[in-house]
Amino acid sequence: MKFVDEYRDGALARGIAAAIAAEVEPDRTYAFMEFCGGHTHAISRYGIEDLLPPSLRLIHGPGCPVCVLPVGRIDDAIRLARLPNVTLCTYADLMRVPASHGGSLLKTKAAGGDVRMIYSPLDAVRIAEAEPDRQVVFLAIGFETTTPPTAIALRLAVSKQLANFTVFCNHVLTPVAMRAILDAAPLPGEQPIAIEGFVGPAHVSTIIGTGPYRIFAETYRKPVVIAGFEPLDVMQAILMLVRQVNEQRAEVENQYIRVVRPPGNVIAQDLCAEYFEVRDSFEWRGLGSLPASALKLRDAYATFDAEQRFDVTTVHADDNPACECGPILRGQKKPADCKLFGTVCTPETPMGACMVSSEGACAAHWTYGRFRDRQPERRRA
Amino acid sequence: MCLAISALVTELLPDQMARISLDGVVMTVSVALLEEVSPGDYVIIHVGHALSRIDAEEAARTLAMLAEIRALAPVP
């Protein structure tokens, strides 16, 4: 496919790997966080860690919306789906996420709940139009990439004056989570994680542009290199980060110039500002409650807000106590450190969200990365 | 979740929609988030919406940079 295949070229990848190996300074280590699950997936799938020098460590960040959605919100969605007249529309990613009491949206559907998988938020609007007797709730999740499509669906529903369409909004904000990781004091028994730079989000940046990352360069002195999701994109971004660290620079650089423009997508930003406002606080799996880290519908559109129409009051629910999703999302642990990993917890029978989404750190490690653990010289690298 | 794929716009449709081709697989998506788009453009598609146009010149520039990095790197 054009604009894809050429960024997966193995010979070029080996060339960039040689450049990285030549440019890392001996006698020091490098640690970069790739925030996005999309990058985590690409790094595992293409074996990028095998192309990097042993002194360079990649820390998997929490940029997987399925993974960071707390159990309590899945429980809410299940409660909504069980209401007699409600059709709950969701992206497929959420269907198998474990909820409280062994539940999931998939099991709720099997038990007779009207849960429907959709591809686009516009599908949910179409269902609402076609079935006026049903209350159609769109379970909206995702970072800034996924928010504008929800806004477009809302705009369509508002213009059609659909009285049976609501949005259960769980959209979250990337820069706030990045700050939370840098600000977080380690929990008892945890070491502070020394992140020296970020492989910055690809498609989130398409929407928000490069400006919101400036604080990380200017205040935190952490370089950020926005990177595409193909393996050569990630490799080039890592080389750019190594160069910034070596030269003691902390700047926001854009590797993904073919798609990300510095101002971002202004149409999308305006649309989101019209329909959404920032919540006081929102719970993230692994990161806890973060102030001003998520969006909700503006009061002007309260009639389209599922939380208001159905009186949703989220109750905090604990993760499976043996599941290490939380520390993994904070970059404190690796999937193989979890005793559930690969034993009771696999993509077939996930115990935690990190194993459900293909871009969760555990699912990526299970599908591609675990074979590396068997190589003794690179064990747990 | 934020994964998005590149696709070729083949036809503009009413209501800010467009027909696209993903290596021959044809779909209808919204182009309401794009300032301008024409058949022949490549766009990034996410949950049924085009988020951004792919800039062919910048794409070529990235590939040229990658080739240069490889040319200057010590032979692996």
Side-chain angles (χ1 to χ4, degrees), chain A residues 67-150:
Chain A
C67 306
V68 295
L69 189 68
V71 174
R73 298 293 276 188
I74 304 277
D75 290 346
D76 291 338
I78 290 174
R79 271 193 291 272
L80 287 171
R82 282 187 184 147
L83 294 175
N85 216 19
V86 165
T87 296
L88 186 90
C89 295
T90 173
Y91 296 125
D93 315 44
L94 281 173
M95 289 295 281
R96 295 189 307 124
V97 179
S100 297
H101 315 297
S104 71
L105 285 168
L106 192 63
K107 287 178 186 166
T108 307
K109 183 179 172 73
D114 190 3
V115 180
R116 302 192 202 174
M117 280 187 275
I118 55 164
Y119 165 63
S120 160
L122 296 177
D123 297 338
V125 179
R126 277 183 214 113
I127 291 171
E129 241 185 328
E131 301 179 36
D133 297 336
R134 305 286 304 170
Q135 280 292 331
V136 175
V137 179
F138 171 50
L139 172 50
I141 68 157
F143 285 95
E144 290 88 338
T145 319
T146 318
T147 313
T150 305

Coordinates of all heavy atoms in Angstrom, one line a residue, chain A residues 67-150:
Chain A
C67 N -7.0 0.3 27.5 CA -6.3 -0.1 28.7 C -6.5 0.8 29.9 O -6.5 0.4 31.0 CB -4.8 -0.2 28.4 SG -4.4 -1.3 27.0
V68 N -6.6 2.1 29.6 CA -6.7 3.1 30.7 C -8.1 3.3 31.2 O -8.3 3.9 32.2 CB -6.0 4.4 30.4 CG1 -4.5 4.3 30.2 CG2 -6.7 5.1 29.2
L69 N -9.1 2.8 30.5 CA -10.5 3.0 30.9 C -10.7 2.1 32.2 O -10.5 0.9 32.2 CB -11.4 2.5 29.8 CG -12.9 2.9 30.0 CD1 -13.1 4.4 30.0 CD2 -13.8 2.2 29.0
P70 N -11.1 2.8 33.3 CA -11.2 2.0 34.5 C -12.4 1.0 34.5 O -13.4 1.3 33.8 CB -11.4 3.1 35.6 CG -12.0 4.2 34.9 CD -11.5 4.2 33.5
V71 N -12.3 0.0 35.3 CA -13.3 -1.0 35.4 C -14.7 -0.4 35.6 O -15.7 -0.9 35.0 CB -13.0 -2.1 36.5 CG1 -14.1 -3.1 36.6 CG2 -11.7 -2.8 36.1
G72 N -14.7 0.6 36.5 CA -16.0 1.2 36.9 C -16.8 1.7 35.6 O -18.0 1.6 35.6
R73 N -16.1 2.2 34.6 CA -16.8 2.7 33.5 C -17.3 1.6 32.6 O -18.3 1.8 31.9 CB -15.9 3.7 32.7 CG -15.4 4.9 33.4 CD -16.5 5.9 33.8 NE -16.8 6.8 32.7 CZ -17.7 7.8 32.8 NH1 -18.3 8.1 34.0 NH2 -17.9 8.6 31.8
I74 N -16.6 0.5 32.5 CA -17.1 -0.7 31.8 C -18.4 -1.2 32.5 O -19.3 -1.6 31.9 CB -16.0 -1.8 31.7 CG1 -14.7 -1.3 31.1 CG2 -16.6 -3.0 31.0 CD1 -14.7 -1.3 29.6
D75 N -18.3 -1.2 33.9 CA -19.5 -1.6 34.6 C -20.7 -0.7 34.3 O -21.8 -1.2 34.1 CB -19.2 -1.5 36.1 CG -18.2 -2.6 36.6 OD1 -18.0 -3.6 35.8 OD2 -17.7 -2.5 37.7
D76 N -20.4 0.6 34.2 CA -21.5 1.5 33.8 C -22.1 1.1 32.4 O -23.3 1.1 32.3 CB -21.0 3.0 33.7 CG -20.6 3.5 35.0 OD1 -21.1 3.1 36.0 OD2 -19.7 4.5 35.0
A77 N -21.2 0.8 31.5 CA -21.6 0.5 30.1 C -22.5 -0.8 30.2 O -23.5 -0.9 29.5 CB -20.4 0.3 29.2
I78 N -22.1 -1.7 31.0 CA -22.8 -3.0 31.1 C -24.2 -2.7 31.7 O -25.2 -3.2 31.2 CB -22.0 -4.0 31.9 CG1 -20.8 -4.5 31.1 CG2 -22.9 -5.2 32.3 CD1 -19.9 -5.4 31.8
R79 N -24.2 -1.8 32.7 CA -25.5 -1.5 33.3 C -26.5 -0.8 32.3 O -27.6 -1.1 32.2 CB -25.3 -0.5 34.5 CG -25.1 -1.2 35.8 CD -25.2 -0.3 37.0 NE -24.1 0.7 37.1 CZ -23.0 0.4 37.7 NH1 -22.8 -0.7 38.3 NH2 -22.0 1.3 37.7
L80 N -25.9 0.1 31.5 CA -26.7 0.7 30.4 C -27.2 -0.3 29.4 O -28.4 -0.3 29.1 CB -25.8 1.7 29.7 CG -25.5 3.0 30.4 CD1 -24.5 3.9 29.6 CD2 -26.8 3.8 30.6
A81 N -26.3 -1.3 29.0 CA -26.7 -2.3 28.0 C -27.8 -3.2 28.5 O -28.5 -3.8 27.8 CB -25.5 -3.1 27.6
R82 N -27.9 -3.3 29.9 CA -28.9 -4.2 30.4 C -30.3 -3.5 30.6 O -31.3 -4.2 30.8 CB -28.5 -4.6 31.8 CG -27.5 -5.7 31.8 CD -27.2 -6.3 33.2 NE -26.1 -7.3 33.2 CZ -25.3 -7.4 34.2 NH1 -25.4 -6.7 35.2 NH2 -24.4 -8.4 34.1
L83 N -30.3 -2.2 30.4 CA -31.6 -1.5 30.5 C -32.5 -2.0 29.3 O -32.0 -2.2 28.2 CB -31.4 0.0 30.4 CG -30.7 0.6 31.6 CD1 -30.5 2.1 31.4 CD2 -31.5 0.4 32.9
P84 N -33.8 -2.2 29.6 CA -34.6 -2.9 28.6 C -34.7 -2.2 27.2 O -34.7 -2.9 26.2 CB -36.0 -2.8 29.3 CG -35.9 -1.9 30.5 CD -34.5 -1.8 30.8
N85 N -34.6 -0.9 27.2 CA -34.9 -0.3 25.9 C -33.6 0.2 25.2 O -33.6 0.9 24.2 CB -35.8 0.9 26.1 CG -36.8 1.1 25.0 OD1 -36.9 0.1 24.2 ND2 -37.3 2.3 24.8
V86 N -32.4 -0.1 25.8 CA -31.2 0.5 25.4 C -30.4 -0.4 24.4 O -30.3 -1.6 24.6 CB -30.3 0.9 26.6 CG1 -28.9 1.1 26.1 CG2 -30.9 2.0 27.3
T87 N -29.9 0.2 23.3 CA -29.0 -0.4 22.4 C -27.6 0.3 22.7 O -27.5 1.5 22.5 CB -29.4 -0.2 21.0 OG1 -30.6 -0.9 20.7 CG2 -28.3 -0.7 20.0
L88 N -26.6 -0.5 23.1 CA -25.3 0.1 23.4 C -24.4 -0.2 22.2 O -24.2 -1.3 21.8 CB -24.7 -0.5 24.6 CG -23.4 0.2 25.0 CD1 -23.7 1.4 26.0 CD2 -22.4 -0.8 25.7
C89 N -23.9 0.9 21.6 CA -23.0 0.8 20.4 C -21.6 1.0 20.9 O -21.3 2.0 21.5 CB -23.4 1.8 19.3 SG -25.0 1.5 18.6
T90 N -20.7 0.1 20.5 CA -19.3 0.2 21.0 C -18.3 -0.2 19.9 O -18.6 -1.0 19.0 CB -19.1 -0.7 22.2 OG1 -17.7 -0.7 22.6 CG2 -19.5 -2.1 22.0
Y91 N -17.1 0.3 20.0 CA -16.0 -0.2 19.2 C -15.7 -1.6 19.7 O -15.8 -1.9 20.9 CB -14.8 0.7 19.3 CG -14.9 2.1 18.8 CD1 -14.7 3.2 19.6 CD2 -15.3 2.3 17.5 CE1 -14.8 4.5 19.1 CE2 -15.5 3.6 17.0 CZ -15.2 4.7 17.8 OH -15.4 5.9 17.3
A92 N -15.2 -2.5 18.7 CA -15.0 -3.9 19.0 C -14.0 -4.0 20.2 O -14.1 -5.0 21.0 CB -14.5 -4.6 17.8
D93 N -13.0 -3.1 20.3 CA -11.9 -3.2 21.2 C -12.5 -3.5 22.7 O -11.8 -4.1 23.5 CB -11.1 -2.0 21.3 CG -10.7 -1.4 19.9 OD1 -11.6 -1.4 19.1 OD2 -9.6 -1.1 19.7
L94 N -13.6 -2.9 23.0 CA -14.1 -2.9 24.4 C -14.9 -4.2 24.7 O -15.2 -4.4 25.9 CB -15.0 -1.7 24.6 CG -14.3 -0.4 24.8 CD1 -15.2 0.8 24.9 CD2 -13.4 -0.4 26.1
M95 N -15.2 -5.0 23.7 CA -16.2 -6.1 24.0 C -15.7 -7.0 25.0 O -16.5 -7.6 25.8 CB -16.4 -6.8 22.7 CG -17.3 -6.1 21.7 SD -19.0 -5.7 22.2 CE -19.7 -7.3 21.9
R96 N -14.4 -7.3 25.0 CA -13.9 -8.4 25.9 C -13.2 -7.9 27.2 O -12.6 -8.7 27.9 CB -13.0 -9.3 25.1 CG -13.7 -10.1 24.0 CD -12.9 -11.1 23.3 NE -11.6 -10.6 22.9 CZ -10.5 -11.1 23.2 NH1 -10.4 -12.1 24.0 NH2 -9.4 -10.6 22.7
V97 N -13.2 -6.6 27.4 CA -12.5 -6.0 28.6 C -13.2 -6.6 29.8 O -14.4 -6.4 30.0 CB -12.6 -4.5 28.6 CG1 -11.9 -4.0 29.8 CG2 -11.9 -3.9 27.3
P98 N -12.4 -7.2 30.7 CA -13.0 -7.7 31.9 C -13.6 -6.6 32.8 O -13.0 -5.6 33.1 CB -11.8 -8.4 32.7 CG -10.7 -8.5 31.6 CD -11.0 -7.4 30.7
A99 N -14.8 -6.8 33.3 CA -15.5 -5.9 34.2 C -15.6 -6.6 35.6 O -15.0 -7.7 35.8 CB -16.8 -5.5 33.6
S100 N -16.4 -5.9 36.5 CA -16.6 -6.5 37.8 C -17.3 -7.8 37.7 O -18.1 -8.0 36.7 CB -17.3 -5.6 38.7 OG -16.6 -4.4 38.9
H101 N -17.2 -8.7 38.7 CA -17.9 -10.0 38.8 C -17.8 -10.8 37.5 O -18.8 -11.5 37.1 CB -19.4 -9.7 39.1 CG -19.6 -8.7 40.1 ND1 -19.2 -8.9 41.4 CD2 -20.2 -7.4 40.1 CE1 -19.5 -7.8 42.1 NE2 -20.1 -6.9 41.4
G102 N -16.6 -10.8 36.9 CA -16.4 -11.7 35.7 C -17.2 -11.3 34.5 O -17.3 -12.0 33.5
G103 N -17.8 -10.1 34.5 CA -18.6 -9.6 33.3 C -17.8 -9.0 32.2 O -16.6 -8.7 32.4
S104 N -18.4 -8.8 31.1 CA -17.8 -8.1 30.0 C -19.0 -7.7 29.1 O -20.1 -8.2 29.2 CB -16.8 -8.9 29.2 OG -17.5 -9.9 28.5
L105 N -18.8 -6.8 28.1 CA -19.8 -6.4 27.2 C -20.2 -7.6 26.3 O -21.4 -7.8 26.0 CB -19.4 -5.2 26.4 CG -19.4 -3.9 27.1 CD1 -18.7 -2.8 26.3 CD2 -20.9 -3.5 27.4
L106 N -19.2 -8.5 26.0 CA -19.5 -9.6 25.2 C -20.5 -10.6 25.9 O -21.4 -11.1 25.4 CB -18.2 -10.4 24.8 CG -18.3 -11.4 23.8 CD1 -18.7 -10.8 22.4 CD2 -16.9 -12.1 23.6
K107 N -20.2 -10.8 27.2 CA -21.1 -11.7 28.0 C -22.4 -11.1 28.2 O -23.5 -11.8 28.2 CB -20.4 -12.0 29.4 CG -19.2 -12.9 29.3 CD -18.6 -13.1 30.7 CE -17.3 -14.0 30.5 NZ -16.5 -13.9 31.8
T108 N -22.5 -9.7 28.3 CA -23.7 -9.0 28.4 C -24.6 -9.2 27.1 O -25.8 -9.5 27.2 CB -23.5 -7.5 28.6 OG1 -22.6 -7.4 29.7 CG2 -24.8 -6.8 28.9
K109 N -23.9 -9.2 26.0 CA -24.6 -9.4 24.7 C -25.1 -10.9 24.7 O -26.2 -11.1 24.3 CB -23.6 -9.2 23.6 CG -24.2 -9.3 22.2 CD -23.1 -9.0 21.1 CE -23.6 -9.2 19.7 NZ -24.6 -8.3 19.2
A110 N -24.2 -11.8 25.1 CA -24.6 -13.2 25.1 C -25.8 -13.4 26.0 O -26.7 -14.3 25.7 CB -23.5 -14.1 25.5
A111 N -25.9 -12.7 27.1 CA -27.0 -12.8 28.0 C -28.3 -12.1 27.5 O -29.3 -12.0 28.3 CB -26.6 -12.3 29.4
G112 N -28.2 -11.5 26.4 CA -29.4 -10.9 25.8 C -29.4 -9.4 25.7 O -30.3 -8.7 25.2
G113 N -28.3 -8.7 26.3 CA -28.2 -7.3 26.2 C -28.0 -6.9 24.7 O -27.3 -7.6 24.0
D114 N -28.6 -5.7 24.3 CA -28.4 -5.3 22.9 C -27.1 -4.5 22.8 O -27.1 -3.3 22.9 CB -29.7 -4.5 22.5 CG -29.7 -4.2 21.0 OD1 -28.7 -4.7 20.3 OD2 -30.6 -3.5 20.5
V115 N -26.0 -5.2 22.6 CA -24.7 -4.6 22.4 C -24.3 -4.7 21.0 O -24.3 -5.9 20.5 CB -23.7 -5.2 23.4 CG1 -22.3 -4.5 23.2 CG2 -24.1 -5.1 24.8
R116 N -24.0 -3.7 20.3 CA -23.7 -3.8 18.9 C -22.3 -3.2 18.6 O -22.0 -2.1 19.1 CB -24.7 -3.1 18.0 CG -26.1 -3.7 18.3 CD -27.1 -3.2 17.2 NE -28.4 -3.3 17.7 CZ -29.5 -2.9 17.1 NH1 -29.4 -2.3 15.9 NH2 -30.7 -3.0 17.6
M117 N -21.5 -3.9 17.9 CA -20.2 -3.4 17.5 C -20.3 -2.5 16.3 O -21.0 -2.9 15.3 CB -19.3 -4.6 17.1 CG -18.7 -5.2 18.3 SD -17.5 -6.5 17.8 CE -18.5 -7.9 17.5
I118 N -19.7 -1.4 16.3 CA -19.8 -0.5 15.2 C -18.4 -0.1 14.8 O -17.4 -0.2 15.5 CB -20.6 0.8 15.5 CG1 -20.0 1.5 16.8 CG2 -22.0 0.5 15.7 CD1 -20.4 2.9 16.9
Y119 N -18.3 0.4 13.5 CA -17.0 0.8 13.0 C -16.8 2.3 13.2 O -15.7 2.8 13.6 CB -16.9 0.4 11.5 CG -15.7 1.1 10.8 CD1 -14.4 0.9 11.2 CD2 -16.0 2.0 9.7 CE1 -13.4 1.5 10.5 CE2 -14.9 2.6 9.1 CZ -13.6 2.4 9.5 OH -12.6 3.0 8.8
S120 N -17.9 3.0 12.9 CA -17.8 4.5 12.9 C -18.9 5.0 13.8 O -20.0 4.4 13.9 CB -18.0 5.1 11.5 OG -18.4 6.4 11.6
P121 N -18.7 6.1 14.6 CA -19.8 6.7 15.4 C -21.0 7.0 14.5 O -22.1 7.0 15.1 CB -19.1 8.0 15.9 CG -17.7 7.8 15.8 CD -17.4 6.9 14.7
L122 N -20.8 7.3 13.3 CA -21.9 7.6 12.4 C -22.9 6.4 12.3 O -24.1 6.5 12.0 CB -21.5 8.0 11.0 CG -20.7 9.3 11.0 CD1 -20.2 9.6 9.6 CD2 -21.5 10.5 11.5
D123 N -22.3 5.1 12.4 CA -23.1 3.9 12.4 C -24.2 4.0 13.6 O -25.3 3.6 13.4 CB -22.3 2.7 12.6 CG -21.3 2.5 11.4 OD1 -21.6 3.0 10.4 OD2 -20.3 1.8 11.6
A124 N -23.7 4.5 14.7 CA -24.6 4.6 15.9 C -25.8 5.6 15.6 O -26.9 5.3 16.0 CB -23.9 5.0 17.1
V125 N -25.4 6.7 14.9 CA -26.5 7.6 14.5 C -27.5 7.0 13.6 O -28.7 7.2 13.7 CB -25.9 8.9 13.9 CG1 -26.9 9.9 13.5 CG2 -24.9 9.6 14.9
R126 N -26.9 6.2 12.6 CA -27.8 5.5 11.7 C -28.8 4.6 12.4 O -29.9 4.5 12.0 CB -27.0 4.8 10.6 CG -26.5 5.7 9.5 CD -25.7 5.0 8.4 NE -24.7 5.9 7.9 CZ -23.4 5.7 8.1 NH1 -22.9 4.6 8.7 NH2 -22.5 6.6 7.6
I127 N -28.2 3.8 13.3 CA -29.1 2.9 14.1 C -30.2 3.6 14.8 O -31.3 3.2 14.8 CB -28.2 2.1 15.1 CG1 -27.3 1.1 14.3 CG2 -29.1 1.2 16.0 CD1 -26.2 0.4 15.1
A128 N -29.8 4.8 15.4 CA -30.8 5.6 16.2 C -31.9 6.0 15.2 O -33.1 6.0 15.6 CB -30.1 6.7 16.8
E129 N -31.5 6.4 14.0 CA -32.5 6.9 13.0 C -33.4 5.8 12.6 O -34.6 5.9 12.5 CB -31.7 7.4 11.8 CG -32.0 8.9 11.6 CD -31.3 9.3 10.3 OE1 -30.2 8.7 9.9 OE2 -31.8 10.2 9.6
A130 N -32.8 4.6 12.4 CA -33.5 3.5 11.8 C -34.4 2.8 12.8 O -35.4 2.2 12.5 CB -32.6 2.4 11.2
E131 N -34.1 3.0 14.1 CA -34.8 2.3 15.2 C -35.3 3.3 16.2 O -34.7 3.3 17.4 CB -34.0 1.2 15.8 CG -33.5 0.1 14.8 CD -32.7 -1.0 15.3 OE1 -32.9 -1.4 16.5 OE2 -31.8 -1.4 14.6
P132 N -36.3 4.1 15.9 CA -36.6 5.2 16.8 C -37.2 4.7 18.2 O -37.2 5.5 19.1 CB -37.7 6.0 16.0 CG -38.1 5.1 14.9 CD -37.0 4.1 14.6
D133 N -37.6 3.5 18.3 CA -38.1 3.0 19.5 C -37.0 2.6 20.5 O -37.2 2.3 21.7 CB -39.0 1.7 19.3 CG -40.2 2.1 18.5 OD1 -40.6 3.3 18.5 OD2 -40.8 1.2 17.8
R134 N -35.7 2.5 20.0 CA -34.6 2.1 20.9 C -33.9 3.4 21.4 O -33.8 4.4 20.6 CB -33.6 1.2 20.1 CG -34.2 0.0 19.5 CD -34.5 -1.1 20.5 NE -33.4 -1.5 21.3 CZ -33.5 -2.3 22.4 NH1 -34.7 -2.7 22.7 NH2 -32.5 -2.6 23.1
Q135 N -33.4 3.3 22.6 CA -32.5 4.4 23.1 C -31.1 3.9 22.7 O -30.5 3.0 23.3 CB -32.6 4.5 24.6 CG -33.8 5.3 25.1 CD -33.7 6.8 24.7 OE1 -32.6 7.3 24.6 NE2 -34.8 7.4 24.5
V136 N -30.5 4.6 21.8 CA -29.1 4.2 21.3 C -28.0 5.0 22.0 O -28.0 6.3 22.0 CB -29.0 4.4 19.8 CG1 -27.6 4.1 19.3 CG2 -30.0 3.6 19.0
V137 N -27.2 4.3 22.7 CA -26.1 4.9 23.5 C -24.8 4.6 22.8 O -24.5 3.4 22.6 CB -26.0 4.4 24.9 CG1 -24.9 5.1 25.7 CG2 -27.3 4.7 25.7
F138 N -24.0 5.6 22.4 CA -22.7 5.4 21.8 C -21.6 5.4 22.9 O -21.5 6.5 23.6 CB -22.4 6.4 20.7 CG -21.0 6.3 20.2 CD1 -20.4 5.1 19.9 CD2 -20.2 7.4 20.2 CE1 -19.1 5.0 19.4 CE2 -18.9 7.4 19.7 CZ -18.3 6.1 19.4
L139 N -21.0 4.3 23.2 CA -19.9 4.3 24.2 C -18.6 4.9 23.6 O -17.9 4.2 22.8 CB -19.7 2.8 24.6 CG -18.5 2.5 25.5 CD1 -18.4 3.4 26.7 CD2 -18.6 1.0 26.0
A140 N -18.4 6.1 23.8 CA -17.3 6.8 23.2 C -16.0 6.7 24.0 O -16.0 7.1 25.2 CB -17.6 8.3 23.0
I141 N -15.0 6.2 23.4 CA -13.7 6.2 24.2 C -12.6 6.6 23.2 O -12.8 6.7 22.0 CB -13.3 4.8 24.7 CG1 -13.0 3.8 23.6 CG2 -14.3 4.2 25.6 CD1 -12.1 2.7 24.0
G142 N -11.5 6.9 23.7 CA -10.3 7.3 22.9 C -9.7 8.6 23.2 O -10.2 9.4 24.0
F143 N -8.5 8.8 22.7 CA -7.7 10.0 22.9 C -8.2 11.0 21.8 O -9.2 10.8 21.2 CB -6.2 9.7 22.8 CG -5.7 9.0 24.0 CD1 -5.6 7.7 24.0 CD2 -5.3 9.8 25.1 CE1 -5.0 7.0 25.1 CE2 -4.8 9.1 26.2 CZ -4.6 7.8 26.2
E144 N -7.4 12.1 21.7 CA -7.8 13.2 20.8 C -8.1 12.8 19.3 O -8.8 13.4 18.6 CB -6.8 14.3 20.8 CG -6.6 15.0 22.1 CD -5.7 14.4 23.1 OE1 -5.4 13.1 23.0 OE2 -5.2 15.1 24.0
T145 N -7.5 11.7 18.9 CA -7.7 11.1 17.6 C -9.2 10.8 17.4 O -9.7 11.0 16.3 CB -6.9 9.8 17.4 OG1 -5.6 10.0 18.0 CG2 -6.7 9.5 15.9
T146 N -9.7 10.2 18.4 CA -11.1 9.5 18.2 C -12.2 10.5 18.6 O -13.4 10.2 18.4 CB -11.1 8.3 19.1 OG1 -9.8 7.6 18.9 CG2 -12.2 7.3 18.7
T147 N -11.8 11.6 19.3 CA -12.9 12.5 19.7 C -13.6 13.2 18.6 O -14.8 13.4 18.6 CB -12.2 13.6 20.7 OG1 -11.5 12.9 21.7 CG2 -13.3 14.4 21.4
P148 N -12.8 13.8 17.6 CA -13.6 14.5 16.5 C -14.6 13.7 15.8 O -15.7 14.2 15.5 CB -12.4 14.9 15.6 CG -11.2 14.9 16.4 CD -11.4 13.8 17.4
P149 N -14.4 12.4 15.5 CA -15.5 11.6 14.9 C -16.7 11.5 15.8 O -17.8 11.5 15.3 CB -14.9 10.2 14.7 CG -13.4 10.5 14.5 CD -13.1 11.6 15.4
T150 N -16.5 11.5 17.1 CA -17.7 11.5 18.1 C -18.4 12.9 17.9 O -19.6 12.9 17.9 CB -17.2 11.3 19.5 OG1 -16.5 10.1 19.6 CG2 -18.4 11.2 20.5

